[in-house]
Amino acid sequence: MPTDTLELVCPAGTPAAFHAAVDAGADTVYCGLRDDTNARNFPGLNFSREELADAADYAHARGVKILLALNTYMRAGQPEAWHRAVDDAAQIGIDALIMADIGLLDYAATHAPQMRRHLSVQAAASTPEAVRWYAERFGIQRVVLPRVLTVPEIAQLITEIDIETEVFGFGGLCVMTEGRCSMSSYATGQSPNMNGVCSPASHVHYEERGSKLVSKLGEFTINSFKEGEKAGYPTMCKGRFEAHGKVSYLFEDPTSLNVVSVLPELIKAGVTALKLEGRQRGKAYTKKVVSAFRRALDTAATGAVPHMPDLSEVMEGGKATAGAYQKSWQ
Amino acid sequence: MPPASLRAASLECENTPPNSLRDPPFSPILFAGFLARPLPLAPLNLLLSKAMRQMHARHTDVFERMQAVPNPAFLIVPTDLPFALVMRVNIDKPTLMAIRRTGGGPIAARLGTAATISGPFEVLLALLEGKIDGDALFFTRALSFSGDTEAVLALRNAVDGAEIDLARDAAHLLGPFARLAAPLGGFLNMLWRRSSADMAAVAASLTGGQQTRLRAQEDALEELTLKVRTLTKRSNRRQKQTQET
């Protein structure tokens, strides 16, 4: 049933970012544990069990929900870390788990049935048949939709399923079929879907060559930035390569998703929740982006068109796009 | 761990920040650095040691988060000060020490640091408190690093997650004189604001003429770029027409 607003689901990579998100107006905050059970397994990031319990207390005391991302795929024969995470989350009082692995979904449905289960974007479920299968088999209450659907496609999908939908609203874009991309694995030998990080920092290098800044991932040169040009973190899909004598972004421009311009349409389509990306970013990013989207959603709830906030400072490449939501290509 | 001879306070490091940060900002800190250059580093190092011990006691989580990094040692280069900082964030024995920046060859390898982080002192302090986005700083090259990306990322995440408040921590550092912290902080803040405004006026006066000329050159360049683009298009069209006929 469409409402007049969307639940604002915000990222937190550390307790400080968690507090910033809650204080800036998040309805829900999602985070991960300090291991490869989540897809933002960067060094120095994420929560210990104690920090997670403190964060849950902080959120619940302010009427905010806390979600735990367990969105990597379990290693064959070694499911213990993922199982323990489900058990601990249940004990801490986490409101919902975000999962993609069918084995883990089954474990959570069996061992912690009281906890809500959300289907991660890593499962890449974008058809009514796929979503219904996950709902019937594992009792998922919400699906996080891949960033490949237009607003009309989302609206149509919602009429054909009986569970909540969550869509991405801001942050890094992924043009691949999520959960199935092997480009980073090819370059580094580490899988984003298993080890929990796309372009692991241990394989990232920056070099200054004259006035240029060159970024590398493993043995691959990903980009070369001129003086004054905004640089970026090197991922294969956002690399600038030479092909047929022309240098260009072959797969995707380094641009941030920003859906403020289509918020009224997403609300009208019956979407339940809006997810902001960026657990790997600092608390200054969290505060700025969450505050901007809180204001935009509050404006949209009154029926007015929300003002596009200036978030260029924290955007990848300093540019924004509404991505596939306003798809002008086939 | 570097040899003992390199752990003395008389260390020096190369005076060469990365390309993007060769020109330090024209700020009161730059001038304070000139004034501080002849002073001995020993008193500063005593203060830094005490500050690091306090950081260890008050923000243990920073050091816990760094445990996964095999060598959590960094050379921090404030580009507007005449010294650099060697920081080791080992959980058992963290250290912070100033060394002079007075020439010499690359020293990071000899110091045994995993990475070098360079930026204006004010930016480094804001980063420590998580007031500004570290990614944005690096991507706009207001900040630069070289060496182990994983170690730098871990440090950024660990510090950002710690909710460090320098004013509060400095008050603790003053011990029995903590009640002086607020008026002292207010005075320094006022001094900083006034001197920044004065220096901005000086900078505007010195570079005003150049800025005007630069803007005129930019306009001329833009006009030329447009002309070249038009001529290229016209030439391509003619080439195509010739090929078709």
Side-chain angles (χ1 to χ4, degrees), chain B residues 138-222:
Chain B
F138 175 68
F139 294 147
T140 54
R141 304 202 225 173
L143 192 77
S144 172
F145 77 86
S146 59
D148 184 346
T149 307
E150 193 170 31
V152 173
L153 194 59
L155 181 67
R156 195 289 301 256
N157 289 333
V159 166
D160 194 83
E163 307 201 74
I164 293 168
D165 180 334
L166 286 174
R168 203 174 51 204
D169 290 354
H172 274 265
L173 201 62
L174 289 173
F177 305 105
R179 62 194 170 83
L180 297 175
L184 185 64
F187 172 72
L188 290 174
N189 204 10
M190 184 266 294
L191 198 65
W192 169 260
R193 276 203 316 274
R194 279 192 188 171
S195 51
S196 294
D198 290 347
M199 289 188 68
V202 172
S205 162
L206 289 173
T207 62
Q210 285 172 331
Q211 291 291 342
T212 310
R213 277 198 296 280
L214 199 62
R215 276 195 293 274
Q217 281 174 355
E218 274 174 6
D219 290 344
L221 194 64
E222 200 178 324

Side-chain angles (χ1 to χ4, degrees), chain B:
Chain B
M1 178 66 78
S5 60
L6 285 175
R7 276 181 258 141
S10 60
L11 275 175
E12 295 180 355
C13 83
E14 75 270 32
N15 197 10
T16 318
N19 291 329
S20 51
L21 294 166
R22 289 257 161 88
D23 302 323
F26 189 66
S27 72
I29 288 174
L30 186 69
F31 276 82
F34 292 152
L35 296 174
R37 197 190 293 271
L39 301 176
L41 287 180
L44 174 64
N45 277 329
L46 276 176
L47 189 69
L48 290 173
S49 293
K50 195 171 178 195
M52 190 50 136
R53 280 199 301 276
Q54 182 177 284
M55 170 81 98
H56 188 239
R58 288 174 61 84
H59 303 289
T60 317
D61 49 335
V62 171
F63 302 86
E64 280 170 4
R65 283 178 186 274
M66 292 303 292
Q67 276 184 294
V69 177
N71 177 27
F74 302 88
L75 180 63
I76 314 284
V77 183
T79 50
D80 42 2
L81 285 176
F83 57 84
L85 300 166
V86 182
M87 182 172 79
R88 299 180 195 282
V89 281
N90 310 65
I91 193 157
D92 49 347
K93 201 185 170 199
T95 57
L96 181 62
M97 182 177 73
I99 59 172
R100 291 198 184 279
R101 288 175 53 207
T102 53
I107 200 172
R110 285 189 287 138
L111 283 168
T113 48
T116 303
I117 301 169
S118 310
F121 187 61
E122 192 185 1
V123 167
L124 293 170
L125 286 185
L127 197 63
L128 189 64
E129 290 191 293
K131 284 181 178 166
I132 35 180
D133 184 51
D135 287 3
L137 285 177
F138 175 68
F139 294 147
T140 54
R141 304 202 225 173
L143 192 77
S144 172
F145 77 86
S146 59
D148 184 346
T149 307
E150 193 170 31
V152 173
L153 194 59
L155 181 67
R156 195 289 301 256
N157 289 333
V159 166
D160 194 83
E163 307 201 74
I164 293 168
D165 180 334
L166 286 174
R168 203 174 51 204
D169 290 354
H172 274 265
L173 201 62
L174 289 173
F177 305 105
R179 62 194 170 83
L180 297 175
L184 185 64
F187 172 72
L188 290 174
N189 204 10
M190 184 266 294
L191 198 65
W192 169 260
R193 276 203 316 274
R194 279 192 188 171
S195 51
S196 294
D198 290 347
M199 289 188 68
V202 172
S205 162
L206 289 173
T207 62
Q210 285 172 331
Q211 291 291 342
T212 310
R213 277 198 296 280
L214 199 62
R215 276 195 293 274
Q217 281 174 355
E218 274 174 6
D219 290 344
L221 194 64
E222 200 178 324
E223 259 177 52
L224 282 171
T225 308
L226 275 174
K227 270 185 194 166
V228 169
R229 200 175 293 156
T230 312
L231 288 170
T232 309
K233 272 186 192 167
R234 200 176 293 163
S235 162
N236 287 344
R237 256 199 315 271
R238 278 192 190 151
Q239 213 171 0
K240 208 174 167 187
Q241 281 167 353
T242 314
Q243 280 169 355
E244 282 169 2
T245 53

